[in-house]
Amino acid sequence: MAEYLTLPLSNLHRVPPEMTNEVAVFAEPLAAACRIVEQNLICYNNKDTSSSSSSSARPDRVAILGDGKLGLMIAEVLGREHMKHFGSLANNNNNNGEEDGGPFPRPVLFGKYQHKLDLVADSGVDGRFVDECKDASAFNGVAANHSQKYDVVVDATGNPAGLSLAAGLCRPMGILVLKSTCAAGEQFNAAPFVIDELRVVGSRCGPIDKALELLSITNSTNDDDDSIIPPLNVEKYITKCFPLSEAPKAMQCAAEKSTMKVQIICSEM
């Protein structure tokens, strides 16, 4: 919290005049979620199922582990990316009768809390409780109907145990995206990563400009199909705002387990 700092001019991004400061501060965590898209880690393929060519193969099945702030931002981004490609053709895995989720299965967010899963209910993802994909009696700790099912698994749990669960969810030769930077370790078992030839990819900060673009959406309809990308209402993640004079209270509020996001308004004393 330095009083002054210097940085390259290229690090500055112009915020649209109609965007409030409360919304604009979400650009950084949202950019970290956009980084996964920028890395081209998810294959969407061709949505034309009338073709028998390999180009019409199903898109990657995606799982997101963790319903913390970053996990929710990733769900917001990957859900909208899926809608951008498939629009109304995208399947809700909860309602689809096919075991594999149909030809265009939506990303699945595994979390612990219903009220958090509800926050992304309209964001193009399928929210499920993480206990649904666990089975302590299985050799890899993963329930049979989820074991090695997903082509891309994003670990945003912030927990060392999340890596083991992510490995069990990921298919052989699939991609495991690491967003967690936790240093505390449980005993690491390299066997599933070697045997299943998993590709582990680190993913950190991302494009601020893309995040601002996403935050600026009001109503956007693609010209080439019927998909509609819903506006991203990040205000729902703000638990409380405090003036700068109440910064200690803000810190206390931020430490509470039920808190999602606390903002300090520096222009208010």
Side-chain angles (χ1 to χ4, degrees):
M1 297 184 180
E3 188 172 353
Y4 299 99
L5 59 89
T6 59
L7 73 164
L9 189 61
S10 59
N11 283 19
L12 296 178
H13 295 267
R14 187 181 297 276
V15 175
E18 65 275 9
M19 185 179 296
T20 66
N21 292 337
E22 289 78 9
V23 170
V25 296
F26 281 87
E28 189 279 329
L30 196 63
C34 291
R35 175 60 179 157
I36 299 173
V37 177
E38 186 180 53
Q39 290 174 289
N40 293 316
L41 299 175
I42 301 172
C43 181
Y44 292 98
N45 289 315
N46 191 328
K47 68 181 181 182
D48 181 10
T49 56
S50 63
S51 171
S52 59
S53 65
S54 59
S55 63
S56 63
R58 62 162 179 78
D60 283 344
R61 298 187 184 94
V62 178
I64 305 160
L65 286 176
D67 57 3
K69 291 184 283 290
L70 181 55
L72 292 170
M73 290 294 104
I74 293 171
E76 297 277 19
V77 170
L78 297 188
R80 282 169 172 76
E81 190 69 16
H82 190 78
M83 284 190 282
K84 185 175 78 173
H85 283 83
F86 304 111
S88 61
L89 294 176
N91 298 291
N92 182 325
N93 297 336
N94 278 329
N95 299 325
N96 194 286
E98 297 182 53
E99 183 180 350
D100 64 355
F104 312 113
R106 306 196 308 181
V108 179
L109 171 65
F110 289 103
K112 294 182 178 181
Y113 305 102
Q114 185 63 57
H115 71 279
K116 290 186 176 183
L117 297 176
D118 289 343
L119 289 170
V120 293
D122 298 323
S123 300
V125 297
D126 176 14
R128 298 185 180 181
F129 290 115
V130 67
D131 286 344
E132 178 184 325
C133 69
K134 293 181 179 180
D135 182 355
S137 65
F139 76 97
N140 61 357
V142 179
N145 58 330
H146 291 286
S147 181
Q148 299 187 335
K149 176 180 177 179
Y150 301 93
D151 303 285
V152 180
V153 181
V154 182
D155 175 19
T157 61
N159 188 318
L163 182 59
S164 298
L165 179 58
L169 291 170
C170 198
R171 67 164 174 81
M173 301 184 72
I175 298 176
L176 203 164
V177 184
L178 288 185
K179 279 294 187 182
S180 296
T181 56
C182 48
E186 60 172 31
Q187 188 173 358
F188 176 68
N189 179 15
F193 299 90
V194 177
I195 295 172
D196 291 333
E197 298 184 338
L198 301 182
R199 177 185 169 194
V200 181
V201 181
S203 181
R204 197 184 177 205
C205 303
I208 295 288
D209 56 335
K210 294 297 183 183
L212 289 171
E213 183 180 312
L214 193 56
L215 289 170
S216 299
I217 292 177
T218 52
N219 281 300
S220 176
T221 304
N222 291 346
D223 295 331
D224 55 347
D225 61 24
D226 60 348
S227 72
I228 298 177
I229 310 302
L232 177 48
N233 172 30
V234 291
E235 289 99 328
K236 63 188 175 184
Y237 293 108
I238 302 175
T239 302
K240 196 170 183 180
C241 295
F242 293 86
L244 184 58
S245 60
E246 297 183 11
K249 289 184 179 180
M251 297 295 186
Q252 291 175 357
C253 181
E256 295 176 5
K257 198 167 186 179
S258 60
T259 296
M260 286 297 297
K261 190 80 170 178
V262 167
Q263 293 190 356
I264 298 176
I265 312 300
C266 296
S267 60
E268 299 179 6
M269 298 301 291

